[in-house]
């Protein structure tokens, strides 16, 4: 008998599922099972809410519960069990009628096509919950977005018609687009519109703190609490785009970026003379050489690591930074390709302020094609595909990038076209919304449909946020997406065929062949 079952991320064992004592990500079987119970309780909550009186608190628990089960977010049985207890209590509060929790084994044992469609919905709403939670923290919520979580979870328990499920898959994409728009508004209202910003990869001598994850609100609070304390702050992985936001970049001690993609953290954090604060995924199993320096906050939790609670008092992190002292001399670090700086901040506002120039460059033949190369990074060696692809793109093409997949290429010097850099970093994964806005502006300028643009999406996926983004792209009718490094284990052959037939999704092959196909050369 299997000790656990999980196949929600790209690195799942044998590209079929993690089933033993521990998943490839380091999640132990008991934790995986507690997470399944948590999702089962959320389905119970969704049913209870249907004829009950859910409140804002119910919505918050829904978001927290789903976010908790995203890959590399929570490895702590105690916090998962505590959250489940809160959900059970909430059920009693919103409805006197009792609805049982759902047994997730039923889902894992479904017919593979039904299981596949339901997994697309479930993993999609997990990713969407993370975005909705970030927006919620910044004071923005949306009724339709919130209600969809309940509707989708009820369908996972009760719906078995593949056609209905397929339409719910696309509805997940539609609602997630709205959710990303909400988060974009929340971020830009709070921190301003990102501006292009060059970010050093050198770590200056002296005390510092590394901040990982996506939560810009936590970053702002930490910057405020470390003001004038002689402590420098460095972004890590998905936090890099923080440098582009005016309300964050105004702090002079926000100095640069530490390291590369999340998957390299165990070697990059080895003996680091500074604390690391994880605000969201991706936290990996913590190694001893830096285990006394890891702090978590928000939804992230890891056994025995110090957790900063809702009061957001970062004093323990600050104390640790002073205690560790940082490097004695400036430490010159590089990106994955040896570059010493990277540039971020090309969100929709920054790119669209150059729209007229970009359109002109396309019209006079100086820009022949746009690529969106990005998504989540991971450890698979085959992910070098994305670096090789970027290097092979002709000099008359522009690369939009986003999410942590950007680290495969963001330190490459690919030059510029009439002052427009050839690599434009739109931001975090949720800033796929920016890329979509840019594509929409191009369709307007050229008077054509999105599939007629000289634009190709070459995406990498790892965890569940990539799933909801992919569904949003499909909802928009975007075709010919190249997807790698592997097709998700939870997409059954029949569901894959349906997606290929309708959207011509293409598994990545070699950069040379794919480029030849795309450019027709
Ligand atoms: Fe396996 Fe990914 Fe699940 Fe971890 S999150 S147990 S690696 S499928």
């Amino acid at each position: 008998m299997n000790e656990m079952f999980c196949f929600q991320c790209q690195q799942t064992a044998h590209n079929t599922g993690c089933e033993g004592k521990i998943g490839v990500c380091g999640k132990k079987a008991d934790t995986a099972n507690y997470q399944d119970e948590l999702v089962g309780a959320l389905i119970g909550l969704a049913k209870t809410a249907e004829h009950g009186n859910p409140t804002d608190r119910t919505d918050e628990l829904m978001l927290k519960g789903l976010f908790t089960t995203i890959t590399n977010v929570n490895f702590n049985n105690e916090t998962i069990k505590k959250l489940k207890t809160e959900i059970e209590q909430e059920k009693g509060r919103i409805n006197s009628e009792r609805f049982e929790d759902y047994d997730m084994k039923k889902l894992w044992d479904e017919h593979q096509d039904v299981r596949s469609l339901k997994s697309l919905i479930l993993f999609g709403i997990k990713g969407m919950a993370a975005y909705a939670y970030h927006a919620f923290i910044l004071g923005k919520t949306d009724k339709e977005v919130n209600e969809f979580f309940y509707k989708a979870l009820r369908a996972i328990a009760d719906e078995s018609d593949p056609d209905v499920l397929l339409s719910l898959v696309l509805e997940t994409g539609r609602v997630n687009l709205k959710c990303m728009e909400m988060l974009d508004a929340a971020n830009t209202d709070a921190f301003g519109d990102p501006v292009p910003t060059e970010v050093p990869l050198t770590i200056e001598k002296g005390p510092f703190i590394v901040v990982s994850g996506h939560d810009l609100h936590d970053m702002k609070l930490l910057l405020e609490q470390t003001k004038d304390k002689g402590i420098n702050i460095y972004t890590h992985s998905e936090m890099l785009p923080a440098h582009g936001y005016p309300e964050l970049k105004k702090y002079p001690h926000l100095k640069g970026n530490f390291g590369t993609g999340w998957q390299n953290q165990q070697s990059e954090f080895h003996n680091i003379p500074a604390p690391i604060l994880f605000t969201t995924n991706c936290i990996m199993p913590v190694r001893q050489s830096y285990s006394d320096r890891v702090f978590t906050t928000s939804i992230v939790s890891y056994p025995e690591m110090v957790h900063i609670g809702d009061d957001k008092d970062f004093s323990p992190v600050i104390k640790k930074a002073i205690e560790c002292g940082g490097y004695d001399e400036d430490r010159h670090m590089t990106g994955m390709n040896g570059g010493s700086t990277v540039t971020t901040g090309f969100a929709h506002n920054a790119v669209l302020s150059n729209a007229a120039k970009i359109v002109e460059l396309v019209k006079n033949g100086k820009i022949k094609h746009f690529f969106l190369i990005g998504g989540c990074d991971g450890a698979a060696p085959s992910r070098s595909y994305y670096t090789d692809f970027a290097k092979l793109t002709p000099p008359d093409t522009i690369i939009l990038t986003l999410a942590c997949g950007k680290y495969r290429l963001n330190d490459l010097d690919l030059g510029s076209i009439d002052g427009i850099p050839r690599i434009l970093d739109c931001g975090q994964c949720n800033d796929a919304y920016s890329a979509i806005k840019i594509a929409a502006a191009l369709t307007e300028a050229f008077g054509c449909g999105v599939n007629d643009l000289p634009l190709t999406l070459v995406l990498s996926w790892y965890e569940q946020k990539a799933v909801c983004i992919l569904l949003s792209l499909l909802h928009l009718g975007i075709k010919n997406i190249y997807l790698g490094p592997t097709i998700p284990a939870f997409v059954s052959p029949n569901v894959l065929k349906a997606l290929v037939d309708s959207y011509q999704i293409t598994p990545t092959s070699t950069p040379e062949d794919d480029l030849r196909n795309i450019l027709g050369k």
Side-chain angles (χ1 to χ4, degrees), residues 174-236:
R174 181 183 65 75
V175 180
N176 180 58
L177 186 61
K178 195 169 186 196
C179 188
M180 289 196 295
E181 183 182 11
M182 171 172 70
L183 179 54
D184 180 80
N187 283 336
T188 51
D189 283 358
F191 310 115
D193 273 307
V195 293
T197 305
E198 189 175 68
V199 182
L201 301 179
T202 293
I203 310 302
E204 294 183 18
K205 67 179 180 185
F208 68 99
I209 298 170
V210 174
V211 187
S212 193
H214 305 69
D215 199 310
L216 300 174
H217 182 60
D218 283 336
M219 175 56 113
K220 165 90 180 169
L221 296 176
L222 181 69
L223 285 165
E224 198 51 42
Q225 289 180 34
T226 47
K227 225 165 47 175
D228 305 322
K229 284 199 161 64
I231 297 171
N232 289 330
I233 305 294
Y234 292 88
T235 55
H236 172 255

Side-chain angles (χ1 to χ4, degrees), residues 4 6-9 11-12 18 23-25 27 71:
M4 63 183 274
C6 184
F7 66 167
Q8 67 176 359
C9 83
Q11 64 181 359
T12 194
C18 295
V24 176
C25 63
K27 181 166 76 176
T71 304

Side-chain angles (χ1 to χ4, degrees), residues 4-13 17-19 22-28 32 35 69-72 75 462-464:
M4 63 183 274
F5 181 74
C6 184
F7 66 167
Q8 67 176 359
C9 83
Q10 188 273 323
Q11 64 181 359
T12 194
C18 295
E19 298 179 319
I22 187 166
V24 176
C25 63
K27 181 166 76 176
K28 293 184 179 144
Q35 289 188 355
T69 64
I70 287 180
T71 304
N72 295 98
F75 290 81
Y462 170 68
E463 43 86 336
Q464 297 76 53

Side-chain angles (χ1 to χ4, degrees), residues 136 247 492:
F136 166 79
E247 282 303 308
S492 69

Side-chain angles (χ1 to χ4, degrees), residues 250-265:
K250 72 180 185 186
Y251 293 91
H253 61 301
L254 177 60
K255 287 283 183 182
N257 186 69
F258 184 101
T260 55
W262 65 271
Q263 72 278 5
N264 300 321
Q265 67 188 254

Side-chain angles (χ1 to χ4, degrees), residues 232-442:
N232 289 330
I233 305 294
Y234 292 88
T235 55
H236 172 255
S237 197
E238 271 285 70
M239 193 56 82
L240 169 62
H243 292 277
Y245 287 90
E247 282 303 308
L248 301 175
K249 72 189 268 103
K250 72 180 185 186
Y251 293 91
H253 61 301
L254 177 60
K255 287 283 183 182
N257 186 69
F258 184 101
T260 55
W262 65 271
Q263 72 278 5
N264 300 321
Q265 67 188 254
Q266 289 172 326
S267 57
E268 291 178 346
F269 292 160
H270 177 69
N271 285 335
I272 183 175
I276 308 127
L277 174 67
F278 283 93
T279 65
T280 62
N281 56 316
C282 294
I283 185 169
M284 294 176 76
V286 176
R287 296 241 167 115
Q288 207 188 345
S289 73
Y290 58 87
S291 61
D292 63 331
R293 282 152 248 183
V294 169
F295 295 82
T296 61
T297 192
S298 185
I299 306 296
V300 192
S301 188
Y302 194 94
E304 292 168 36
M305 299 299 118
V306 176
H307 187 78
I308 305 298
D310 290 345
D311 63 358
K312 299 292 176 184
D313 177 358
F314 292 112
S315 306
V317 191
I318 293 167
K319 188 163 167 263
K320 183 60 81 177
I322 293 166
E323 193 182 302
C324 290
Y327 295 114
D328 294 335
E329 298 296 333
D330 289 358
R331 174 72 61 109
H332 299 288
M333 298 171 79
T334 65
M336 289 173 85
N337 303 288
S340 58
T341 61
V342 293
T343 301
T344 189
F346 289 99
H348 53 84
N349 200 51
V351 175
L352 295 183
S353 64
N354 281 301
K357 182 172 183 183
I358 291 172
V359 169
E360 192 52 41
L361 289 171
V362 174
K363 285 186 174 160
N364 66 24
K366 288 192 173 169
I367 296 176
K368 294 250 170 50
H369 205 89
F370 296 87
F371 296 97
L372 173 63
I373 309 177
C376 353
D377 208 356
S382 58
R383 286 177 182 266
S384 59
Y385 167 95
Y386 298 94
T387 312
D388 298 338
F389 190 101
K391 284 182 181 167
L392 284 170
T393 54
D396 53 6
T397 60
I398 293 280
I399 297 172
L400 300 168
T401 189
L402 51 83
C404 55
K406 68 165 73 81
Y407 284 97
R408 297 275 166 183
L409 54 98
N410 65 349
D411 64 324
L412 289 171
D413 181 6
L414 296 188
S416 58
I417 302 175
D418 275 19
I420 306 283
R422 284 199 55 224
I423 300 179
L424 303 174
D425 175 11
C426 299
Q428 297 179 334
C429 51
N430 45 288
D431 294 311
Y433 177 71
S434 264
I436 289 166
K437 276 199 89 164
I438 293 165
L442 290 174

